[in-house]
Amino acid sequence: MSAIAGICHFYEETLNPVQTSNLMKAFQRYPADNVHTWNKNNIFLGCHAQWITPESIGEPLPYYDYEKKLAITADAIIDNRDELFDRLQVERTFRKTIPDSQLILLAYYRWGEEVPKHLIGDFAFMIWDEKKQKLFGARDFSGARTLYFYHDQSRFAFSTTIEPLFTLPYIEKNINEEWLAEFLAIPGMVEAVDTQSTAYKNIHQIPPSHSVTVEDGRVALLRYSTIQVGEKIKLNSNGEYEEAFREVFNEAVTSRLRTHGKVGSHLSGGLDSGTVVSLAAKALQKENKQLHTFSYVPEESFTDWTPKYYIPDERTFIKETVNHVGNINDHYLSFEGKSPLTDVDDFLDLMEMPYKFFENIFWLKGISEEAHNQGIKILLNGARGNHSISWGSWNLSMDYYASLFKKLKWICLNHELNQYCINNKTGKSVMLPIIAKRAFPLITKIFTNNHQIDYQFPSLINPAFAQKTKVFNKLQEYGVNSSGMLGKNLNEHRKNHYNHLFVWNKSGTATTKLSLRYSLWDRDPTNDIRVIRFCLALPEEQFVQGGMERSFIRRATKGILPDKVRLNHHIRGVQGADTIHRMSSNWKLFMDEIDQLCTDPITLEFFDIKVLKDSVEKLGKEPRPEFVWADEFKVLTRSLIVYRFIKNLN
């Protein structure tokens, strides 16, 4: 709910009031309900507060407990408040008014550095333990809130955003070549595998699931949480699995509705956001509050060019959900005249680093702005649902059927295929060869004489720069392959998705900084650690049975979502299909800048210019709508973003 910052001098060096003032002034670009600081001897804490929850109104931050000799500054919303109050034996008369920062402090007094293990929610905080002369802090398990830091032999400084740290005279603004090499070399959406690094040399970040301890001049990072599931949940029927899920997920949704303002939500025509919206609208009705939904739709002038199984304008399905659920004020935003190209500089300024989700930036930012204008303080989404509540894609279904094939479970396979063929209007003669190839891929290659080399995403990075930074050796150590997959199969990829922390950073960076700019919090119930652990413990067949991909969420939402949405197997919503349409008027400027990039001395060290020129040649000079799905388009847009970032540093 805040931007926080602080400085700790190790050897009782006097704090410079000009430096601490400048540190806080850098937050003035964001709205604030209150700004306070606290300092004592060699420690300074600051908070640029935005009031989101009822308890945060008028909350004293930083807060100093004179009895316990503890001070805290925090950017946090804690979702398991009732559980913590019970465990800490807090009197019921105080529970409604205690802000989350003071609850964290009570928990620290009880559990010490074990405290983040007991917290559920989105948080980043720092605590000054005066008795122990120790600074301790933590970031939530998925890194939903950011926390950056700098340290040298005599001091430690931290901040929610990076720019305030550069107001300190001893911190230089230099690019981190190792981070940049990872950004350029990784084909997928991951920015870097080193979760402590940032785009700037000497600026670090506390990784997701980590705490930091600053004591006696030493800075130590410790991972406090891993998502591991032992035995699978074993219940007696599908109905029991579905009921157990609804209980866990409903708690995740309702615990995120706590605000003194209005509640909004992203809403597409799919399963994840639809499930979030359905439960949220029902819970809010009990409080006499309405849920506001925000949906991105293409410009009116856009002509749909996509295959028939895609739908860029999801209003038909969205309105089905809205009408079925009720208690929803729905908004459809097309952002006429907006383009991701014209927003690059603004989003670089907001993110403070290069980014890869080029196609989405203008409407993500636009929805946050519109929600802010309508008084929204909590903005829900279902962004991480694909790996939790709606796991079970077509590929996973095929892998499951292949396992049945290999295990000679013919009766079960026949039943599943019958259902699959009915749902997807196909035949066994089509499906069995696909399943056989997945079951015995080596035999298939031998008999088909298939020696085709697997496709690789065009590499942006200059080979000499890659060699200098040894980036490919590093990626190999982290298990990132040329396709961006984190394992040999989907189940292994999913497991690694939760164990490898580098997949989390990009979304936490965007949501934290968007929330600060627009004074609202993005909150994702599909990312609740209780929900993730439950879904990971479900037997695999729960996700693919009945001939349905994403089977579990479809069954669990019966009556919650309309059947037109819940049982939709044939049409998939696709966002960003109008990207080239929006860029068409600026296409020549876009390509001219790429040409400039290819000859600019400041970038020749970093980019493989041949790959860029080949990408230009393949796309040609005239825009075509299907370019948005071309890897060459991704190569050029990512290169442009990095180019602008580097130029802005010089």
Side-chain angles (χ1 to χ4, degrees):
M1 296 178 293
S2 310
I4 61 174
I7 303 173
C8 175
H9 286 169
F10 298 151
Y11 305 113
E12 298 187 3
E13 177 188 351
T14 303
L15 290 162
N16 185 323
V18 174
Q19 293 179 14
T20 57
S21 176
N22 289 340
L23 189 68
M24 296 305 297
K25 282 180 180 177
F27 289 135
Q28 289 180 354
R29 63 188 296 191
Y30 308 117
D33 294 303
N34 213 340
V35 178
H36 279 298
T37 62
W38 176 90
N39 65 279
K40 190 171 185 180
N41 300 327
N42 60 324
I43 184 75
F44 167 84
L45 302 177
C47 181
H48 187 89
Q50 297 176 345
W51 298 338
I52 304 295
T53 65
E55 308 83 26
S56 67
I57 298 174
E59 175 184 8
L61 265 179
Y63 173 76
Y64 181 66
D65 188 315
Y66 287 90
E67 180 183 349
K68 297 180 175 65
K69 302 297 181 184
L70 299 172
I72 185 171
T73 189
D75 175 30
I77 296 182
I78 303 302
D79 295 323
N80 62 329
R81 282 169 61 90
D82 290 339
E83 175 197 356
L84 291 172
F85 284 142
D86 288 341
R87 296 177 67 187
L88 296 170
Q89 298 180 328
V90 175
E91 291 185 27
R92 294 192 175 275
T93 53
F94 300 132
R95 294 186 179 189
K96 285 189 176 181
T97 58
I98 292 178
D100 289 332
S101 59
Q102 293 180 35
L103 179 56
I104 294 171
L105 208 58
L106 288 172
Y108 173 79
Y109 189 69
R110 169 77 173 273
W111 293 302
E113 294 188 12
E114 298 287 302
V115 61
K117 295 180 180 181
H118 302 277
L119 304 177
I120 295 175
D122 302 337
F123 59 82
F125 64 85
M126 295 297 292
I127 293 171
W128 173 244
D129 191 327
E130 188 175 356
K131 293 179 180 177
K132 297 181 179 179
Q133 290 291 291
K134 175 176 70 177
L135 192 63
F136 173 80
R139 190 175 172 201
D140 64 81
F141 88 96
S142 70
R145 308 301 289 181
T146 55
L147 196 58
Y148 303 99
F149 68 91
Y150 165 90
H151 74 93
D152 57 27
Q153 293 180 340
S154 61
R155 57 211 152 197
F156 176 92
F158 66 89
S159 174
T160 297
T161 59
I162 296 173
E163 194 62 34
L165 295 172
F166 292 129
T167 67
L168 300 174
Y170 43 84
I171 303 180
E172 296 181 354
K173 195 172 190 177
N174 296 319
I175 196 167
N176 181 351
E177 291 191 351
E178 284 72 22
W179 186 95
L180 181 61
E182 292 174 36
F183 184 94
L184 294 174
I186 297 172
M189 297 301 290
V190 170
E191 298 162 344
V193 294
D194 183 348
T195 54
Q196 295 183 34
S197 70
T198 73
Y200 302 96
K201 194 173 182 179
N202 297 324
I203 301 294
H204 311 281
Q205 62 181 321
I206 299 175
S209 297
H210 276 68
S211 63
V212 60
T213 302
V214 183
E215 189 174 19
D216 295 329
R218 296 187 300 272
V219 177
L221 291 166
L222 176 67
R223 183 168 182 173
Y224 66 81
S225 174
T226 55
I227 299 178
Q228 294 179 339
V229 176
E231 293 185 7
K232 295 290 185 179
I233 297 172
K234 296 180 181 179
L235 300 177
N236 294 323
S237 66
N238 283 346
E240 288 188 12
Y241 284 111
E242 294 153 19
E243 181 61 32
F245 164 77
R246 287 190 290 267
E247 182 178 343
V248 172
F249 195 59
N250 189 60
E251 182 180 6
V253 172
T254 55
S255 66
R256 284 166 170 75
L257 303 179
R258 203 173 91 249
T259 179
H260 69 86
K262 297 178 183 178
V263 179
S265 181
H266 290 261
L267 179 59
S268 70
L271 297 167
D272 298 329
S273 63
T275 305
V276 170
V277 161
S278 298
L279 297 178
K282 183 178 179 181
L284 287 170
Q285 194 165 26
K286 297 176 183 177
E287 303 177 25
N288 294 317
K289 296 176 81 171
Q290 192 174 41
L291 179 67
H292 299 257
T293 61
F294 301 89
S295 306
Y296 169 68
V297 296
E299 288 184 305
E300 288 188 14
S301 57
F302 170 71
T303 300
D304 186 6
W305 57 271
T306 60
K308 63 181 180 179
Y309 45 81
Y310 284 122
I311 180 169
D313 188 342
E314 299 181 70
R315 270 176 284 200
T316 301
F317 290 96
I318 294 169
K319 288 181 178 179
E320 285 283 336
T321 296
V322 169
N323 294 333
H324 179 85
V325 173
N327 194 40
I328 292 175
N329 185 353
D330 48 330
H331 306 273
Y332 304 91
L333 306 174
S334 62
F335 307 109
E336 297 290 324
K338 288 286 187 179
S339 161
L341 182 62
T342 54
D343 270 10
V344 168
D345 285 336
D346 184 51
F347 213 71
L348 276 173
D349 179 62
L350 178 76
M351 290 285 289
E352 306 179 295
M353 63 187 68
Y355 57 91
K356 291 184 175 179
F357 41 98
F358 171 80
E359 298 86 354
N360 299 339
I361 58 171
F362 72 96
W363 63 261
L364 287 173
K365 185 162 67 78
I367 285 177
S368 292
E369 184 175 7
E370 180 63 25
H372 166 74
N373 292 338
Q374 295 193 29
I376 304 298
K377 288 295 182 181
I378 295 292
L379 186 61
L380 302 171
N381 68 76
R384 294 234 171 95
N386 283 345
H387 286 86
S388 59
I389 69 172
S390 64
W391 178 248
S393 65
W394 181 87
N395 282 306
L396 185 68
S397 296
M398 295 305 105
D399 286 346
Y400 176 63
Y401 300 157
S403 70
L404 295 177
F405 189 96
K406 290 173 69 175
K407 295 174 183 176
L408 306 181
K409 295 186 176 181
W410 306 115
I411 295 175
C412 184
L413 177 60
N414 183 61
H415 173 75
E416 286 293 328
L417 275 182
N418 284 337
Q419 294 297 313
Y420 183 90
C421 291
I422 292 171
N423 290 335
N424 294 278
K425 299 179 181 179
T426 187
K428 290 181 183 177
S429 60
V430 175
M431 298 309 302
L432 281 171
I434 296 173
I435 294 167
K437 288 179 182 179
R438 284 184 175 258
F440 304 104
L442 293 178
I443 295 176
T444 301
K445 282 188 177 182
I446 292 171
F447 281 96
T448 59
N449 195 28
N450 185 355
H451 300 294
Q452 181 179 352
I453 299 174
D454 291 338
Y455 171 79
Q456 293 186 358
F457 186 89
S459 179
L460 291 171
I461 191 168
N462 184 320
F465 184 49
Q467 180 64 33
K468 172 185 174 182
T469 56
K470 299 181 180 179
V471 64
F472 289 114
N473 292 339
K474 190 171 187 178
L475 298 186
Q476 189 175 18
E477 290 174 10
Y478 280 87
V480 178
N481 61 31
S482 59
S483 68
M485 279 282 286
L486 302 176
K488 297 178 181 178
N489 56 53
L490 287 171
N491 280 319
E492 188 176 331
H493 171 80
R494 186 192 190 205
K495 178 182 177 183
N496 289 333
H497 175 84
Y498 288 112
N499 285 332
H500 289 321
L501 297 177
F502 52 76
V503 300
W504 302 91
N505 268 330
K506 66 178 181 354
S507 54
T509 302
T511 56
T512 297
K513 294 171 184 180
L514 280 170
S515 79
L516 286 174
R517 175 180 282 190
Y518 298 110
S519 192
L520 53 76
W521 270 50
D522 269 89
R523 310 226 59 208
D524 184 0
T526 68
N527 188 48
D528 187 292
I529 195 167
R530 297 164 293 192
V531 172
I532 291 170
R533 284 174 173 154
F534 176 88
C535 291
L536 288 175
L538 285 172
E540 181 185 2
E541 59 268 21
Q542 284 294 316
F543 294 105
V544 294
Q545 67 177 257
M548 291 189 291
E549 57 187 74
R550 307 185 190 278
S551 172
F552 184 71
I553 191 65
R554 296 183 193 277
R555 301 192 327 265
T557 54
K558 185 175 183 179
I560 294 174
L561 287 176
D563 285 352
K564 183 173 180 177
V565 173
R566 185 176 69 89
L567 300 178
N568 173 30
H569 298 276
H570 310 296
I571 300 175
R572 181 181 176 182
V574 55
Q575 295 163 335
D578 63 342
T579 297
I580 307 299
H581 168 79
R582 290 179 179 274
M583 292 176 61
S584 58
S585 61
N586 292 312
W587 189 259
K588 185 178 184 305
L589 293 175
F590 169 59
M591 299 303 284
D592 286 347
E593 190 167 2
I594 296 298
D595 289 341
Q596 179 185 345
L597 185 164
C598 290
T599 58
D600 195 322
I602 69 172
T603 57
L604 296 180
E605 175 187 355
F606 306 119
F607 294 109
D608 188 327
I609 302 302
K610 183 180 184 305
V611 169
L612 296 187
K613 289 182 176 179
D614 287 347
S615 296
V616 170
E617 185 177 349
K618 287 181 180 178
L619 293 185
K621 295 295 184 180
E622 296 299 321
R624 292 165 53 188
E626 62 270 24
F627 285 171
V628 70
W629 289 343
D631 285 343
E632 289 78 15
F633 180 68
K634 291 183 175 63
V635 164
L636 297 185
T637 54
R638 291 178 186 180
S639 300
L640 175 70
I641 289 166
V642 172
Y643 180 49
R644 295 262 189 104
F645 175 76
I646 294 171
K647 284 205 303 182
N648 291 340
L649 285 179
N650 294 331

